[in-house]
Amino acid sequence: MTRLWILGAWLALSLAWMAGDRLVEDGDEAGHVGAAELFDARLDRGEVAGFLDDAWRGDLGEYPPLVPAVVGLAWHLAGPGQPSRLPVRGVNLVGLLLAAWATGRLARELEAAAPGESRVVARGRARRAEAAAFAFVLALPLANGLSRHFMPEGWLVGAVAVAVLLAARAGSRPSAGRALALGLGLGAGLLVKQTFALLAALPVLWAGRRQGWRWLLTALAAGAVAGPWYARHLAEQAAYLGRSAAPEAPAPWAAVLAYYPAVTGWVGLGPVLSLLAAAGWLLALRRRRGGDPAARAAALLGLAWFLGGLAVLTLVPKRYPRLMAPLAPGAALAFAAAFARLRAGPGLAAAGLLAAFGWLGWASWHPVPPPGAVRALHARCIQTWLRPPVDDDLGIGAVVDAARAAPPGPVAVVDGPAIPCAVQTTHDWAWHLGPALRRAGGEREVRTVADPADAAGAAVVVDWRPEAAAGEVVAVPALGRVFRLRVARR
């Protein structure tokens, strides 16, 4: 019942944010939306076999196909229209929900009755640990921000958590069936994004270390699931790894070492969950010295998952805040184990998690600027996934509506603006217009011109020049500008 209340509050917060946001997709996000649109089109044409084949080993560029296939399926079920609709956009919440479920189950299964302790007491502690870990993960700021967008890292949070849970089960009671299940989970994770291997390696190897020869079964199952896609894209993956390993501008080691700890306190865990995680590790380590094997297991697995993963990411030349999101659920394990053992633990945990959800809600509707340690290593725009909703589609919807009533012909954009980093890291304004028209069922050629004379013959003219005088005025508050909208007569 406790988890149902937590889930309901989290869903209400997430859906309210999505319903209030109409901003165009980030540049990286737009590419994933485009891939999902291809899957939607496959299903619209009735090509179910082709859809399934592409979801497994399809050629959609440098990224694996599983996430856009799932989004494309949701898009198809929702019917034609923009991907910003809740039935389509909301499917991205599944990744974080999977992470919360898997981390909660893992926290529960790590518990065991201490010598001389009744099973009833142990089961009660296990239920408290599960609820605490479940709520902790749903309150993660960066993971929430990513799950509100069409980014594979949001799904990667769930894929890594499920893999660690499967590895812990395979390691605690090794069997061929559990080894194969772990392999299937690893294969699916590799089809979410390539960085799954980097982020899941340490906690999976630690949790499943007692598998012995059954690791061979795990590797075979993972290869059967993910191998066909990677074998088919060896050249692209070699180029991808080369770009990922390419060094960025030289930076002092002190700044490099401070980067991911700064991201952790900013949005990775946020200030409240960072304090709760630190307190949980301290308490769990004290329990370890007292001979509590369950607390010890939770603390060590959490360290391998979270802190070990941060150490690995620090060695990677490319630094993006979103890379650390799949590591954050690991911090929930020691917190859940420690607070489930305290006499006043349930009350303290509830108060701390309530504060964490309060901070998440505040940061979801108020800007949280990145710390200096993060800005220092980003010469270009910093992608901000946890941000206030923007009730402004930059005037794209007004042009789409006008095009429905216009005669056949192209849409001309006169002196269209770039979209600044303060609004979103994205393509220029005119780039977003073509996909929006197509998804609304009225695909048209979009011409970008600098001279209004070159817009002659267009069915719709979008004139961004300050001196433009003819046409309907459309305000774009997010850019602090207006444009004039003219529609040719039929």
Side-chain angles (χ1 to χ4, degrees), residues 71 88-96 147-151 155:
V71 176
V88 184
R89 193 175 191 178
V91 75
N92 295 296
L93 296 173
V94 173
L96 185 52
S147 69
R148 297 165 183 170
H149 295 83
F150 295 94
M151 293 298 291
W155 291 86

Side-chain angles (χ1 to χ4, degrees), residues 7 30 97 145 197 276 339 395 450 456:
L7 176 61
L97 186 57
L276 293 179
F339 280 85

Side-chain angles (χ1 to χ4, degrees), residues 126-276:
R127 286 194 298 269
R128 292 193 298 273
E130 181 178 19
F134 181 83
F136 189 105
V137 173
L138 288 185
L140 289 169
L142 179 57
N144 270 280
L146 287 165
S147 69
R148 297 165 183 170
H149 295 83
F150 295 94
M151 293 298 291
E153 287 81 3
W155 291 86
L156 207 55
V157 177
V160 172
V162 170
V164 178
L165 172 62
L166 294 173
R169 289 175 172 176
S172 63
R173 287 193 296 171
S175 70
R178 292 188 173 200
L180 290 172
L182 172 58
L184 295 176
L186 295 178
L190 288 168
L191 291 181
V192 172
K193 196 178 179 185
Q194 300 93 323
T195 47
F196 171 84
L198 190 70
L199 300 168
L202 281 177
V204 164
L205 289 172
W206 175 260
R209 63 191 181 280
R210 296 187 180 91
Q211 274 210 108
W213 66 270
R214 296 174 185 83
W215 278 111
L216 177 61
L217 297 177
T218 295
L220 290 173
V225 173
W229 187 85
Y230 282 89
R232 190 176 181 183
H233 298 83
L234 283 177
E236 294 92 335
Q237 293 314 295
Y240 176 83
L241 289 174
R243 289 192 298 273
S244 299
E248 295 185 331
W253 267 106
V256 172
L257 293 175
Y259 182 81
Y260 281 110
V263 171
T264 297
W266 171 38
V267 289
L269 297 181
V272 178
L273 291 183
S274 293
L275 290 174
L276 293 179

Side-chain angles (χ1 to χ4, degrees), residues 8-406:
W10 172 74
L11 277 175
L13 172 67
S14 301
L15 295 177
W17 191 96
M18 288 183 175
D21 185 63
R22 297 193 298 135
L23 191 61
V24 297
E25 298 97 357
D26 173 89
D28 286 341
E29 187 184 8
H32 301 303
V33 173
E37 190 175 9
L38 295 176
F39 280 103
D40 174 42
R42 272 240 188 230
L43 290 175
D44 286 344
R45 295 193 297 268
E47 301 171 1
V48 177
F51 170 90
L52 294 174
D53 185 65
D54 279 350
W56 179 33
R57 60 191 187 98
D59 188 7
L60 296 172
E62 64 184 14
Y63 293 113
L66 187 56
V67 171
V70 173
V71 176
L73 175 60
W75 200 338
H76 175 73
L77 295 175
Q82 303 298 339
S84 55
R85 293 169 295 158
L86 282 180
V88 184
R89 193 175 191 178
V91 75
N92 295 296
L93 296 173
V94 173
L96 185 52
L97 186 57
L98 274 175
W101 169 80
T103 309
R105 293 301 302 178
L106 181 57
R108 181 179 187 130
E109 293 177 14
L110 288 172
E111 295 295 335
E117 184 181 49
S118 72
R119 291 185 178 180
V120 174
V121 173
R123 281 199 297 267
R125 188 177 64 245
R127 286 194 298 269
R128 292 193 298 273
E130 181 178 19
F134 181 83
F136 189 105
V137 173
L138 288 185
L140 289 169
L142 179 57
N144 270 280
L146 287 165
S147 69
R148 297 165 183 170
H149 295 83
F150 295 94
M151 293 298 291
E153 287 81 3
W155 291 86
L156 207 55
V157 177
V160 172
V162 170
V164 178
L165 172 62
L166 294 173
R169 289 175 172 176
S172 63
R173 287 193 296 171
S175 70
R178 292 188 173 200
L180 290 172
L182 172 58
L184 295 176
L186 295 178
L190 288 168
L191 291 181
V192 172
K193 196 178 179 185
Q194 300 93 323
T195 47
F196 171 84
L198 190 70
L199 300 168
L202 281 177
V204 164
L205 289 172
W206 175 260
R209 63 191 181 280
R210 296 187 180 91
Q211 274 210 108
W213 66 270
R214 296 174 185 83
W215 278 111
L216 177 61
L217 297 177
T218 295
L220 290 173
V225 173
W229 187 85
Y230 282 89
R232 190 176 181 183
H233 298 83
L234 283 177
E236 294 92 335
Q237 293 314 295
Y240 176 83
L241 289 174
R243 289 192 298 273
S244 299
E248 295 185 331
W253 267 106
V256 172
L257 293 175
Y259 182 81
Y260 281 110
V263 171
T264 297
W266 171 38
V267 289
L269 297 181
V272 178
L273 291 183
S274 293
L275 290 174
L276 293 179
W281 263 305
L282 288 174
L283 292 170
L285 290 173
R286 286 182 62 187
R287 289 279 179 176
R288 175 188 175 187
R289 290 199 297 270
D292 189 330
R296 177 180 183 273
L300 292 180
L301 180 53
L303 287 171
W305 188 348
F306 182 66
L307 296 182
L310 288 184
V312 171
L313 286 182
T314 300
L315 301 176
V316 177
K318 298 292 185 183
R319 285 173 289 272
Y320 300 104
R322 68 177 187 265
L323 293 181
M324 72 148 297
L327 305 177
L333 296 179
F335 164 79
F339 280 85
R341 283 163 170 73
L342 294 177
R343 181 172 298 178
L348 291 173
L353 291 169
L354 185 62
F357 274 103
W359 191 88
L360 172 63
W362 187 88
S364 296
W365 270 268
H366 298 83
V368 181
V374 175
R375 293 195 300 269
L377 296 184
H378 284 273
R380 299 177 296 174
C381 298
I382 299 176
Q383 292 175 319
T384 304
W385 302 107
L386 184 69
R387 59 166 176 80
V390 178
D391 188 19
D392 184 353
D393 67 351
L394 309 186
I396 297 286
V399 180
V400 170
D401 291 341
R404 289 194 180 100

